[in-house]
Each structure stands twice: as structure tokens, then as C-alpha cells.
Amino acid sequence: MHKIVDKFLIFGTIALILAGCKTDFAVDAFVTDTFADENINTPATMMVEIPSCDQQSKYEDKIIALFNSGSEAKVTGCETKGMSSMLVVSVNAEMASVESNRDLILLRHQLDNMEIDGTSYEIRGLKPVISPEFLTRAKSLIKENFQTLSYENVSFEILINNDERGDVLVTAYQLWVDGEPFENFRRQPLSRRGTFKLTFSDVISDLILKNKMPIVAYIARPT
């Protein structure tokens, strides 16, 4: 009986070690920043799975070391999500038009103006990017625990904040918006001071991890 229990514990430990390390990225995007030209700080959060919140101090320094100094990363706590213990890190991401030295970036993509229902709109796309240097450091740390960085265990979320004076239109595809699934979330009005929480699929995670820079959302405002 003891041998059976011992084997069960061994297999359970191996399964835990080989399980993916869940990591969630969430970035705030303000509409006025989306239509600016210069690089602008924007707040972000990374939540990374650790064995237990009781062991938070053991992992803090290793996680903070993943970020460069410009990100000003700080551990702000540890939360339990279902069966997972998630270390919470606040980060300065950057919204940029051309390039950025940050670890977590939202690149603007400018499109031609478009007339929608008789009104002219200027349009920007948003492309989440994780710097290759950050990914290299993260993969090295995860490898120490016999794990791999897989899109299946990484999620991305953008909170669109409308700080304009009027409504804007938001378009995205095959995602969750405020927790509800959508195949086509097209030209949906976002009122002043309103928010949309966009949560993206595994496919988007895979593209971001492979540095493909997918456009995940489009924002249109009247000219």
C-alpha cells in the first residue's frame, strides 16, 4: 500500500513539474493615447503562476529580474484564481508608433480614414508585442523548472478606456468582450468614460509569442 501511495506522489510531483506555467498579461489602452504619435507609458499587469502564495518571497526577485529597468516592475501581491496561485506584477508598458525598448508594448497601426454612416473616422489598430529579450529571459527561467513557455498557458487582455469627449467605435474578432464570446465584434460604440475588456484566444497568444505582431483591435474616432 505504501509503495502505491509513494508512486502516486511521485507521479503527481512529475505532473506538477511538467505542467505549464500559466501567465496572464493585461494592458490598459487609452483612446487618446492610441491616436497620439509619441511613445506613452500605459499601465499593465502580469500575473504568473507560482506553487503557492505562501512562497511569494521565494519567486519575487526572479520574476522582477525578467524586466528591464524602464518597465519599473513591482510585485503588488498574490492572488488565488481557481486552483492557481498567481503572483501579481505591475508594469509600465508603452504605447508606441514605431519602436520601443520596453518589455511589453502596444504598437499603433495607422489605417486610412474611412466614412462610416456618413461620418469620417480616423482609425488605429493595436498590436501587442513582447520584446524578444524578455521572452529569452522568461524561457530561461521557466526552463529551470523543467517547463516551457507555451501559448496554451499564456493569455492576453486589453482594457480599452474611452477618455475622448464622445463615442468611439471598437472592432475585434473571435474574442471575449467583458466575458462574452464574439466571432465578430464590429464597430461597436464605446461611450465616453466607458470600457471594453478584450480577452484574446490561444491563436493570438501564439502569434505574439512568435513575434508576429497581430492587430488585435481597431479603434475609430470621428475626425
Side-chain angles (χ1 to χ4, degrees), residues 103 193 200 223:
D103 297 301
R193 298 180 181 175
F200 304 103
T223 58

Side-chain angles (χ1 to χ4, degrees), residues 83-98:
M83 299 294 290
S84 301
S85 297
M86 307 294 289
L87 190 69
V88 184
V89 183
S90 68
V91 181
N92 271 342
E94 192 167 67
M95 191 174 291
S97 292
V98 181

Side-chain angles (χ1 to χ4, degrees), residues 28-36 40-43 95 159-168 170 190-196 219 221:
D28 277 282
F30 293 88
V31 173
T32 53
D33 293 346
T34 304
F35 290 90
I40 298 174
N41 282 342
T42 196
M95 191 174 291
L159 185 67
I160 306 291
N161 301 273
N162 184 10
D163 55 342
E164 290 279 334
R165 294 183 177 181
D167 290 4
V168 298
V170 177
L190 179 60
S191 60
R192 181 188 181 194
R193 298 180 181 175
T195 62
F196 282 144
I219 301 175
R221 71 174 181 183

Side-chain angles (χ1 to χ4, degrees), residues 14 33 49 53 70 106 111 123 125 146 152 180 183 214 217:
I14 292 173
D33 293 346
E49 186 176 8
C53 285
L106 283 181
L111 290 89
I123 304 172
F146 305 99
E152 296 172 324
E180 293 294 323
E183 182 176 2

Side-chain angles (χ1 to χ4, degrees), residues 7-38:
K7 287 182 179 179
F8 177 80
L9 290 174
I10 291 171
F11 287 133
T13 302
I14 292 173
L16 180 63
I17 290 174
L18 295 179
C21 180
K22 182 173 176 58
T23 306
D24 302 330
F25 294 92
V27 186
D28 277 282
F30 293 88
V31 173
T32 53
D33 293 346
T34 304
F35 290 90
D37 294 319
E38 69 274 16

